[in-house]
Amino acid sequence: MEDARTYLDQILEKIRRCIAALDESIVQGEQEIEEMHEYYWENYTEMDQYGYENFDNQQALLGQVNANQAMLAKRSRLKRMLDSPYFGRVDFCFDGDEEAETFYIGIGSFAEKKGGIPLIYDWRAPVSSLFYDYDQGEASYEAPGGTMDGVITSKWQYKIRDGRLIYAFESDTKIDDEVLRRELGAGGDVKLKNIIRTIQREQNAIIRNTKDRIMVIQGVAGSGKTSVALHRIAYLLYHDRGNLKSSNVLVLSPNSVFSDYISHILPELGEENIREMSFDLFAYRELNSVVQDCEDRYDEIERKLRQERLGRKGKDETARKQSPEFITELREFVLLEEDRLMRFSDFKYKNFQKTAKEIMEMFYYRFPDVPLLSRMQAVMEYFVDEYETLVNRDFDEDEMEKIRERFFRMYRTTDLYVLYGKFLEEYGYRPLPRVKYEKRFLAYEDVYPMLYLKYLLYAHNGHKQIRHLVIDEMQDYSYLQYLILDRLFQCRMTILGDKAQTMDSEQADVMKFLPKVFGKQIRRIEMNKSYRNTVEIARYANRISRSEGMELFDRHGKDVEEREFADMEAALAEVLKQYRESAGENYETSAVLTATEEEAQAAYAWLKERMEEAGNLPGEQGSGHTGMAKSAAGGRTGTERADEGPGTGRGLTYIDRNSSRFRKGLTVTTFYLAKGLEFDQVFAVMDRKMSGRPLHRQAEYICATRAMHELHMYRYG
């Protein structure tokens, strides 16, 4: 242990010296940039007339700016390494050698000099796979020059915090279960933890996979799906610097709170952050010019919960309008509109003209592959090119607008809302109300059908700048949504989810249709081992979902508490009592989870009032109010409310659909907004009369799987 501390001190000193040298180089670089600017402004009038000297100066300036940015990034990475420079070590004796080489594994590489032998290897480096994939004994790894064989003679695991060695393990067996147990037993955080110290063998195989274009990860709750997917992105960014940048990666995440929860992972791993977006938000933006406002997925869930409460099954129009049969009808409608939508007429501009027959022939035979509502644009551009070539001059903007207007009058309508409404009426669906734009409101069941119709009718170039797409919560996407995604993104994908965590009343396996959408070359991997929950919580959750075959990590805790109360207030009074008593448990995050938004709002108001009365909250003056958040569709607004206790870090937060932050303390929200998050302690407060009904059973399952250490299932009524 003493030798380990001595070596750590030596490494930290070398990192500090490297940071000091970088500081000097950065200052010198900034001075050179300033001098280049001064030289340019003093001499630019005398530079050669062809601009060669000006170009050379600009290139030199750009080179120095880029060099400084690279040094700043390196300094930032080294400063992070001062906290914990490495977490593992492998002593590996290559075949043919007599002595083993030592490889320290950390969050990034470190060498004293550029081009020197690393003292610490990045966890994504080829040699680092020895640490994750093998114990002592024969081992190998894939290096750029081929397979490297040998023997691991020793393997160490370290925990270093604030530059201090907390513990070190050496083992000839798989010791990381003990390290993992320590990590999982610690209090939860308001951010998803990076897992580089505890990556398991099956997780490592997924992270380092570079061969498969479409990878589908089906994992049970708490298996680390999201962490593995993000670490895989970090690995791909590291290994394909020339073709893949952070700006080329997009994550489709459930909501803004979840985006905040995972936002730090890639920066912690030495990469720039990636773009995150809700698919619903994207759809609303795409339809913003067509309708004033749209329902969202959460409105639909709330409606289904109300129907379940009233004992009404109701027709599931959403499922019907996402089905293959419905999509066939939409495509058939578009084919019929090829003729019905058009009214061709002669077009004359000055001495140049096209007959209706010529325009019709061009429309149907010259541009048959251009989507219907983009085709007249192609015809118009052909006419404009002909005319401009003939008269040898370009149209100005006013002329172009008049010409475009006349060509597009040959469509009976280009209003997507009107066309979709016509389709619904013709095929026997409930019609849309015939109203002006300002009053147009689209039910959630019609959002993606209308978006798909838009892509059938209009040309769309997709998102070519996105080269890797991550789709989280894959079980919540429909067949139609995957068809749209296939049109938008022709890139590599990592798709992950858990069919048991669906927000519908019945589980659905999207793997039944994904090969039809993306092709058969899909790599499917199952992650059946759960790490998040204690054994007691995981077994309880599995009884709710009737799941079988899940492997449980051997970490035990308190039994799940199930209690019944006369009403919600009585249940919340017990929540408050238990929450206060758990103050000594070092829990960072606790949650009160309900089925409906109405219940969550009532619970938050009751808890806030009682906590203020007891002096646990500072009241309205101390509210951490973050302002109003307007939906992309322009209709709904929501408030993220955070009331923090004085100096305790155990405040009260309410999360709604427009919230964007995940905080410490006690969070109140619905089960569907808690998906993807995890808490040390969960209080599920549910209406007893609804217990056992399909969607409420799913709600109870999702609530249970959010709990890491403690679960209280309270039913009232």
Side-chain angles (χ1 to χ4, degrees):
M1 193 76 167
E2 198 57 44
D3 290 343
R5 287 196 176 94
T6 301
Y7 183 78
L8 173 61
D9 291 341
Q10 291 172 354
I11 287 292
L12 290 172
E13 182 55 35
K14 289 176 180 179
I15 293 174
R16 290 189 191 99
R17 285 203 298 266
C18 191
I19 291 172
L22 279 171
D23 286 339
E24 291 181 13
S25 297
I26 290 167
V27 170
Q28 184 179 345
E30 289 172 347
Q31 290 174 347
E32 289 182 13
I33 291 170
E34 188 175 341
E35 289 170 4
M36 287 179 183
H37 279 298
E38 289 179 2
Y39 174 82
Y40 177 82
W41 289 113
E42 289 173 1
N43 298 281
Y44 79 97
T45 56
E46 300 175 8
M47 291 180 183
D48 66 275
Q49 60 177 322
Y50 301 106
Y52 296 129
E53 189 178 355
N54 183 23
F55 177 78
D56 290 343
N57 274 277
Q58 288 183 7
Q59 289 300 109
L61 177 60
L62 180 62
Q64 187 59 57
V65 168
N66 288 339
N68 256 37
Q69 287 178 339
M71 288 189 289
L72 285 166
K74 184 177 179 180
R75 182 179 67 177
S76 176
R77 177 171 56 81
L78 291 177
K79 283 189 172 182
R80 283 198 303 272
M81 291 180 74
L82 285 175
D83 175 62
S84 179
Y86 50 83
F87 53 82
R89 167 184 156 182
V90 175
D91 294 347
F92 185 66
C93 186
F94 291 92
D95 280 356
D97 289 356
E98 294 183 1
E99 293 187 7
E101 288 189 38
T102 296
F103 300 96
Y104 283 87
I105 315 297
I107 204 161
S109 295
F110 172 67
E112 284 189 274
K113 296 179 181 179
K114 188 175 182 178
I117 296 174
L119 299 174
I120 302 170
Y121 286 82
D122 192 292
W123 66 278
R124 297 165 289 187
V127 71
S128 300
S129 64
L130 293 171
F131 177 77
Y132 296 115
D133 290 340
Y134 296 96
D135 300 317
Q136 285 192 26
E138 292 184 0
S140 64
Y141 68 94
E142 294 298 325
T147 303
M148 308 301 291
D149 297 306
V151 174
I152 294 177
T153 60
S154 180
K155 179 178 172 181
W156 287 77
Q157 292 183 287
Y158 306 94
K159 183 168 184 177
I160 301 169
R161 287 291 177 268
D162 299 323
R164 294 186 302 108
L165 183 65
I166 309 301
Y167 62 71
F169 284 116
E170 183 186 16
S171 175
D172 58 358
T173 60
K174 189 170 173 56
I175 184 68
D176 55 7
D177 274 4
E178 181 58 37
V179 175
L180 186 55
R181 194 172 287 108
R182 289 180 184 227
E183 290 295 305
L184 296 174
D189 203 347
V190 292
K191 299 290 185 183
L192 187 68
K193 295 175 181 177
N194 80 63
I195 60 171
I196 57 170
R197 296 177 61 249
T198 57
I199 291 172
Q200 303 298 288
R201 193 168 299 174
E202 69 277 11
Q203 295 172 333
N204 193 46
I206 299 170
I207 290 169
R208 292 174 184 264
N209 180 303
T210 59
K211 297 177 182 177
D212 296 301
R213 178 178 169 269
I214 308 277
M215 178 178 280
V216 176
I217 305 170
Q218 286 194 316
V220 298
S223 58
K225 302 179 294 292
T226 303
S227 291
V228 167
L230 292 172
H231 285 67
R232 181 176 188 231
I233 293 302
Y235 180 83
L236 295 174
L237 289 168
Y238 176 85
H239 277 270
D240 196 13
R241 294 277 186 219
N243 299 308
L244 189 67
K245 298 180 175 60
S246 295
S247 58
N248 302 136
V249 182
L250 174 66
V251 176
L252 292 182
S253 57
N255 53 58
S256 297
V257 172
F258 181 76
S259 296
D260 176 59
Y261 184 57
I262 66 173
S263 62
H264 67 296
I265 288 287
L266 284 170
E268 270 189 16
L269 299 176
E271 302 294 341
E272 293 179 13
N273 220 334
I274 55 180
R275 294 164 58 190
E276 295 151 17
M277 182 181 69
S278 153
F279 196 25
D280 281 355
L281 181 60
F282 170 81
Y284 302 154
R285 286 174 177 169
E286 286 284 281
L287 297 175
N288 194 39
S289 61
V290 183
V291 295
Q292 176 67 25
D293 195 10
C294 300
E295 262 192 331
D296 62 22
R297 174 74 160 128
Y298 304 129
D299 291 319
E300 183 195 45
I301 295 169
E302 289 283 340
R303 185 167 61 250
K304 287 181 178 179
L305 287 166
R306 285 195 297 273
Q307 288 175 347
E308 205 167 72
R309 184 178 295 275
L310 295 170
R312 299 175 188 163
K313 189 170 183 181
K315 289 177 70 176
D316 192 354
E317 286 292 309
T318 303
R320 187 182 172 201
K321 290 180 178 178
Q322 311 276 320
S323 67
E325 294 75 22
F326 182 86
I327 293 160
T328 299
E329 291 173 343
L330 264 178
R331 289 171 176 165
E332 182 182 76
F333 172 77
V334 171
L335 288 175
L336 292 172
E337 286 298 296
E338 285 267 338
D339 295 321
R340 300 186 307 189
L341 192 60
M342 308 311 301
R343 51 183 181 194
F344 297 106
S345 59
D346 295 342
F347 184 93
K348 183 177 180 181
Y349 186 81
K350 296 185 178 178
N351 295 323
F352 195 74
Q353 68 177 6
K354 291 283 182 186
T355 66
K357 183 180 179 182
E358 287 176 311
I359 293 173
M360 181 180 68
E361 288 178 346
M362 208 181 306
F363 188 88
Y364 288 121
Y365 302 119
R366 184 175 289 276
F367 304 108
D369 296 329
V370 177
L372 187 57
L373 290 184
S374 293
R375 201 177 302 170
M376 193 55 77
Q377 178 74 22
V379 173
M380 183 201 78
E381 289 172 358
Y382 187 89
F383 169 84
V384 168
D385 286 343
E386 265 194 306
Y387 183 85
E388 289 180 341
T389 302
L390 183 68
V391 301
N392 196 28
R393 80 170 183 86
D394 293 342
F395 287 118
D396 62 32
E397 289 185 14
D398 289 339
E399 287 177 307
M400 283 293 293
E401 185 56 37
K402 289 175 182 176
I403 290 169
R404 185 183 185 283
E405 187 178 318
R406 287 178 59 190
F407 268 102
F408 273 75
R409 277 205 297 265
M410 296 185 204
Y411 288 116
R412 296 182 189 279
T413 182
T414 58
D415 190 329
L416 191 64
Y417 183 88
V418 171
L419 287 168
Y420 182 65
K422 180 182 178 183
F423 160 77
L424 292 176
E425 289 181 32
E426 287 188 6
Y427 284 81
Y429 296 92
R430 185 173 59 247
L432 296 177
R434 297 181 182 183
V435 293
K436 293 182 179 180
Y437 172 81
E438 293 75 17
K439 294 185 178 180
R440 289 178 180 177
F441 178 81
L442 206 59
Y444 188 72
E445 68 195 42
D446 292 310
V447 170
Y448 289 97
M450 185 180 282
L451 184 60
Y452 186 67
L453 180 61
K454 178 179 178 178
Y455 293 148
L456 290 176
L457 292 171
Y458 286 97
H460 193 277
N461 294 324
H463 294 265
K464 294 180 181 178
Q465 77 278 14
I466 300 300
R467 294 177 187 161
H468 200 107
L469 179 70
V470 179
I471 303 173
D472 203 356
E473 304 292 353
M474 70 181 187
Q475 70 279 359
D476 293 330
Y477 290 79
S478 68
Y479 176 66
L480 176 57
Q481 287 173 311
Y482 280 111
L483 283 180
I484 293 171
L485 288 170
D486 185 50
R487 279 179 171 261
L488 293 175
F489 303 101
Q490 299 296 310
C491 63
R492 299 169 73 92
M493 297 184 189
T494 302
I495 305 173
L496 55 143
D498 171 19
K499 62 184 178 182
Q501 291 188 67
T502 180
M503 289 193 290
D504 288 320
S505 55
E506 296 180 7
Q507 296 182 10
D509 186 359
V510 299
M511 279 304 297
K512 290 180 179 178
F513 59 73
L514 276 188
K516 297 177 184 176
V517 178
F518 296 118
K520 294 182 180 179
Q521 300 303 312
I522 293 179
R523 170 80 162 166
R524 175 182 177 178
I525 295 178
E526 293 190 2
M527 299 175 64
N528 289 322
K529 192 167 186 177
S530 177
Y531 297 97
R532 176 189 297 138
N533 320 113
T534 62
V535 170
E536 290 76 12
I537 294 171
R539 285 176 177 164
Y540 178 85
N542 288 343
R543 284 198 298 273
I544 296 174
S545 68
R546 300 163 189 158
S547 298
E548 296 178 357
M550 180 188 290
E551 298 175 46
L552 304 181
F553 184 75
D554 188 24
R555 181 175 69 88
H556 290 270
K558 298 178 180 179
D559 289 332
V560 175
E561 182 192 27
E562 285 190 280
R563 291 183 62 181
E564 294 186 355
F565 299 87
D567 52 37
M568 180 187 272
E569 290 188 2
L572 292 173
E574 184 62 23
V575 167
L576 203 52
K577 176 176 174 290
Q578 293 284 350
Y579 178 65
R580 286 167 175 159
E581 289 178 358
S582 67
E585 297 283 354
N586 294 321
Y587 291 159
E588 295 282 349
T589 56
S590 300
V592 174
L593 304 181
T594 67
T596 68
E597 188 174 43
E598 182 182 4
E599 289 170 320
Q601 289 172 340
Y604 173 77
W606 191 92
L607 288 166
K608 183 173 184 290
E609 183 178 349
R610 299 306 180 279
M611 292 173 81
E612 283 178 348
E613 287 173 357
N616 299 128
L617 295 177
E620 291 298 329
Q621 292 181 341
S623 173
H625 175 64
T626 59
M628 302 297 288
K630 197 170 188 297
S631 76
R636 294 167 299 279
T637 59
T639 309
E640 178 184 327
R641 299 187 286 278
D643 305 278
E644 299 185 6
T648 65
R650 288 171 63 82
L652 180 66
T653 304
Y654 177 72
I655 290 178
D656 69 12
R657 68 189 71 188
N658 293 306
S659 299
S660 59
R661 295 281 303 278
F662 183 43
R663 299 170 182 269
K664 293 182 180 180
L666 183 61
T667 295
V668 182
T669 190
T670 57
F671 77 96
Y672 52 79
L673 287 172
K675 281 189 70 177
L677 306 178
E678 57 187 28
F679 304 87
D680 293 314
Q681 179 186 48
V682 167
F683 301 93
V685 179
M686 298 284 166
D687 187 335
R688 184 169 57 86
K689 295 188 294 295
M690 296 295 103
S691 186
R693 297 191 182 182
L695 193 51
H696 278 77
R697 186 174 63 244
Q698 282 299 113
E700 289 189 356
Y701 174 73
I702 291 170
C703 289
T705 56
R706 301 308 94 205
M708 295 174 64
H709 309 303
E710 253 186 58
L711 174 63
H712 305 266
M713 190 64 71
Y714 292 167
R715 298 181 181 91
Y716 67 89

